[in-house]
Amino acid sequence: MPDRHQRDKTTFRPPPEVKTEAQNVLAGRDDWTLNDFLVACMVLLARNPDAMLERLKDFKPPPKKGRPRKSAT
């Protein structure tokens, strides 16, 4: 497996309480890290997008207010 530090980085900013709760859940499962979970979610999204998005729709955060992005990428 290639060195994961040489891959492009993706940054996300969950609310601190959500991140802490998720880390606590995963800490009780020796074979999962937060990164493992996020990668697995992205794989599932890529392989079964309709089912994944349907399941998550109730948990989607509200749109952010403020300045629009500089570009669409």
Side-chain angles (χ1 to χ4, degrees):
M1 176 175 255
D3 183 359
R4 69 180 180 160
H5 294 101
Q6 293 180 4
R7 297 180 190 163
D8 290 338
K9 177 173 55 173
T10 300
T11 303
F12 74 104
R13 294 181 180 96
E17 63 278 4
V18 171
K19 181 178 178 185
T20 299
E21 189 174 348
Q23 288 173 318
N24 289 339
V25 167
L26 294 174
R29 291 161 172 82
D30 295 335
D31 56 343
W32 282 94
T33 65
L34 190 54
N35 187 71
D36 293 338
F37 175 78
L38 294 171
V39 170
C41 287
M42 292 177 77
V43 169
L44 180 57
L45 175 62
R47 292 184 182 168
N48 195 349
D50 293 334
M52 179 68 163
L53 294 173
E54 178 64 26
R55 179 64 182 103
L56 292 176
K57 72 180 180 182
D58 293 338
F59 303 100
K60 182 180 177 186
K64 294 180 182 178
K65 296 180 181 178
R67 199 169 26 170
R69 291 183 177 189
K70 290 182 180 180
S71 68
T73 59

